[in-house]
Structures are given as structure tokens and as C-alpha cells.
Amino acid sequence: MSAPLDFYFDFSSPYGYLAAERIDDLAARYGRTVTWHPVLLGVIFQKTGAVPLTQAPLKGDYVARDFARSARFMGLPYRAPSRFPIPTQVAARAFYWLWDQDPDQARSFGRALYRALFVDDRDISAPDTVLDLAAAQGIDRAALADALAAPALKERLKQEVEAALGRGVCGSPYIVVDGEPFLGADRLPQLERWLAAGPGGF
Amino acid sequence: MSAPLDFYFDFSSPYGYLAAERIDDLAARYGRTVTWHPVLLGVIFQKTGAVPLTQAPLKGDYVARDFARSARFMGLPYRAPSRFPIPTQVAARAFYWLWDQDPDQARSFGRALYRALFVDDRDISAPDTVLDLAAAQGIDRAALADALAAPALKERLKQEVEAALGRGVCGSPYIVVDGEPFLGADRLPQLERWLAAGPGGF
């Protein structure tokens, strides 16, 4: 079994949502698994000098249209959130807490967080919403609430974001396959060809 | 016959080069033609606040790799130019001069300019190189040299860039189909589905 793919994303990233819906199945077709790494684009953009796409002059109108069209192109539901972008620290911390216990359940929880924001227009920056979504997946709500209140998870997320920056993560989604980085849900076709080509890619 | 597609690009844009190699054939499959509009990304980036991709911290290394990989993915030759990005005013002005006389020859000249830069590593910011490439296409070198020295073409390019900004052009390539904008060579598959879907797109 080859090494897992590394999937970096922010829970407030529409293109991250689109990739999250496809990446595990895509990897599985080539006998690969995926390690999910939620990060904070706000911290990353401080390094790259980028601004949130929707706030860029001229480009903001375009990307709002592109989010919805890209979802239709990929056959995925999408509704623009009322509030966007949003802080995603709580969602990311909850994800890592669950990941350490059960990666499969964490992936499922991650997709539930994304769908809550980008399909059902729920504000997943609210801790109660994160806890509700966890409880709906059969996760121990009280245990997660306790973990979110403790300092360890905050430190964990900080370290994950630092590690991502050290690896060159400059946007969301950013997926690394055997050292080869792919930025954007629109790079999934290239990523798939890379996997199909075998060691060294195409 | 439906209205032409509008193809905005900078001659220093690698993704513009990739799109230029495909857009006319793609449009023709749906009975459409393409109006080419070279613009100046430097002016556009002043409005959007963007920096050239290769100069963005963290992202610069990624995009250099992505240029080459995207070319391989599309089956097109690509070599990173020694000097990049470069000023493209002269190339764009020469293009418009020819476009007004013969759009088909102008498209062919446009592709020759792009291949000179991104395949043969020739510096197309040099007026002599632009004139040489024109002459190689059977274009009257002296007439073009005279036109490039006169103020009319400078004003023409300025007006084209202003018009592009007024239309929301925020990068290269930026292609408009019946009012629907597509940014990036990686959006050609979406653009093709849009054309295939008929009026109103998908």
C-alpha cells in the first residue's frame, strides 16, 4: 500500500468542499487513502499576501459565480452561505479530535461540516452547530465540548497550520501525492491522471 | 451564427498560451468563432491587487510546476521562459494592427508569438522579435514597424484594456461566452459543456 494522499483544506473554502466530496473515492480507485488536514486560510494568506477570493476587486463577482458553476459541473449540490467567509477554528479542532480516534468517522464528519455550510447554509463557526453536527453522527457531544475547551486542541491546530505552511500549502484545497502538489478542486483530473500513470506521474 | 466568444489574454500568460492553442477549435465544434483580445495583466492587477503568480510568496514555486504540468496534461509543448514575466505591449499592439486587416492571420500570429515565448524561449518583449515573427508569417515588416511607431496603436491597446476592465476581466485567460465568464485554461472543460448545453448553459 502506497503512502496516503495529503489533503489540506479550510472548512470555509467552497473548492475545498468540492474536493472533499470526491477525493477519497478518487484515491480509492488507485488503492490509496487520504489523510485530511484542515488548516486556516487566514493564516496562510498572511504569508502569501492573498485576500479571500470573494473580497478581491473585480475577481469577487467572478468567483461567486464560479463556485456555483463548478459545483454543477461536478454534479454536487451548492448554495452560497449567507455568511462567508467564516472562522473555522472550532470546526478544525473538532475534526482533529475525532481524527485521532477514528479517521473514517472524521472524514464523514468533515463532509457533514462542509455540507452544513455549503448546502444547508448553517454557520459552522458557531461551536453549538459543530457540536450538533457531531452529535448527529453519534459522536459524544459532551466529550467533544470538553476537548474544545482545553488548550491541547488549540495547540494541535496551530502546529498543523505551521506544518502545512512548511510544506508549501498556499490555498485550499491543496493535495499532495508522493511529493507532487495539486492546488484547487479543478486539479482533480490532473491528480487522477497522476495516480493512473503510476510512480513519477505523467 | 451565434455571437463570437471573447478571449482576453496577456501574451506573457502561460495559461493564456494553453488556452490559445485550443479555444478556436473548441469553439468551432459548436459553430462559434473567437474574438481575440490581448490585454495587459499589469494594468489589470493594479485593479485587482494581485501580483504575478510566480512572484507570490509560497505560491510562486507551485505555479511554476503547474504551468509545465498543465501543458503536459493538455498535450502541449512548454518550456519555462528564461525571462518571465515580460512586458507585452508591443506584441499586443502588433496583434491589433493585424487583427483589423485579417483576423485569421492575426490568430495565427498570436499563436506564433505565444509559441516563441513558451516553447522556443524567445523574448517577445523585443520589438525586433515581434517584427521577425510577423515577417515569418508573410506580414509586411516595414508596414508593421511604421504602425508600431505611431500613436494610434498605443491608444488602441489602452482602450482595449480599459474595455476589458469594464467587462470584469480579472486574469488571463478570461473567456466570455454569451455573457458567461470563464477564468483560466482549466475552465475549458466547463466552457465546452456550456456550449454543448445550448442557450443558457448548464
Side-chain angles (χ1 to χ4, degrees):
Chain A
M1 185 86 180
S2 304
L5 280 58
D6 286 304
F7 170 43
Y8 298 89
F9 61 94
D10 186 310
F11 277 116
S12 188
S13 158
Y15 300 126
Y17 153 65
L18 300 180
E21 291 284 335
R22 295 283 184 254
I23 189 63
D24 292 294
D25 288 348
L26 194 168
R29 289 198 289 277
Y30 300 91
R32 306 289 285 263
T33 60
V34 182
T35 301
W36 288 38
H37 304 267
V39 295
L40 302 176
L41 273 188
V43 178
I44 289 167
F45 285 173
Q46 284 172 17
K47 303 275 179 181
T48 63
V51 298
L53 288 170
T54 50
Q55 293 167 22
L58 275 186
K59 206 166 178 177
D61 290 343
Y62 173 77
V63 296
R65 184 186 286 249
D66 190 66
F67 292 160
R69 190 181 61 209
S70 293
R72 294 196 302 276
F73 186 69
M74 293 176 67
L76 293 168
Y78 174 82
R79 184 164 57 163
S82 306
R83 187 180 167 212
F84 180 81
I86 57 167
T88 55
Q89 287 89 332
V90 174
R93 289 172 193 148
F95 179 91
Y96 282 116
W97 177 79
L98 191 56
W99 180 267
D100 291 343
Q101 302 170 52
D102 184 339
D104 280 337
Q105 194 178 35
R107 289 186 193 96
S108 176
F109 177 53
R111 281 188 290 268
L113 284 162
Y114 260 142
R115 289 173 191 164
L117 178 59
F118 290 115
V119 181
D120 300 325
D121 194 14
R122 295 178 66 182
D123 183 353
I124 63 168
S125 71
D128 273 347
T129 304
V130 173
L131 292 169
D132 288 349
L133 289 165
Q137 302 247 320
I139 298 159
D140 184 335
R141 182 188 173 110
L144 175 54
D146 285 349
L148 287 172
L153 271 180
K154 294 180 185 176
E155 185 56 33
R156 168 67 176 280
L157 177 57
K158 199 175 157 187
Q159 288 173 358
E160 293 278 356
V161 175
E162 283 302 315
L165 280 168
R167 203 166 179 189
V169 174
C170 54
S172 167
Y174 188 96
I175 306 165
V176 184
V177 182
D178 304 330
E180 182 74 9
F182 296 84
L183 175 62
D186 50 26
R187 288 298 179 273
L188 291 180
Q190 290 194 22
L191 190 159
E192 178 147 23
R193 190 181 296 180
W194 194 272
L195 289 171
F202 67 86
Chain B
M1 185 86 179
S2 305
L5 279 59
D6 286 304
F7 170 42
Y8 298 90
F9 60 95
D10 186 310
F11 277 115
S12 188
S13 159
Y15 299 127
Y17 154 64
L18 300 180
E21 291 284 336
R22 295 284 185 253
I23 190 64
D24 292 294
D25 289 347
L26 193 168
R29 288 199 289 278
Y30 300 91
R32 307 289 286 263
T33 60
V34 181
T35 302
W36 288 38
H37 304 266
V39 295
L40 303 176
L41 273 187
V43 179
I44 289 167
F45 284 174
Q46 284 172 16
K47 303 276 179 182
T48 63
V51 298
L53 287 170
T54 51
Q55 293 168 22
L58 276 186
K59 206 166 179 178
D61 290 343
Y62 173 76
V63 295
R65 184 186 287 250
D66 190 66
F67 293 159
R69 190 181 61 210
S70 293
R72 295 196 301 277
F73 186 69
M74 293 176 68
L76 293 167
Y78 174 82
R79 185 164 56 162
S82 306
R83 186 181 168 212
F84 180 82
I86 57 167
T88 54
Q89 286 90 332
V90 174
R93 288 172 193 148
F95 179 91
Y96 282 116
W97 177 79
L98 191 56
W99 179 268
D100 292 343
Q101 302 170 50
D102 185 340
D104 279 338
Q105 194 178 35
R107 289 186 193 95
S108 176
F109 178 53
R111 281 187 289 268
L113 285 162
Y114 261 141
R115 289 173 192 166
L117 178 59
F118 290 114
V119 181
D120 301 325
D121 194 15
R122 296 178 67 181
D123 182 353
I124 62 168
S125 70
D128 274 346
T129 304
V130 172
L131 292 169
D132 287 349
L133 288 165
Q137 301 248 321
I139 298 160
D140 183 335
R141 183 189 171 108
L144 175 55
D146 286 348
L148 287 173
L153 271 181
K154 295 180 184 175
E155 185 56 32
R156 169 68 177 278
L157 176 57
K158 199 175 158 188
Q159 287 173 359
E160 293 279 356
V161 175
E162 283 302 314
L165 280 168
R167 204 165 179 190
V169 174
C170 54
S172 168
Y174 187 96
I175 305 165
V176 184
V177 181
D178 305 330
E180 182 75 8
F182 297 85
L183 175 63
D186 51 24
R187 289 297 179 273
L188 292 180
Q190 290 194 22
L191 190 159
E192 178 148 21
R193 190 182 296 180
W194 193 273
L195 289 170
F202 67 85

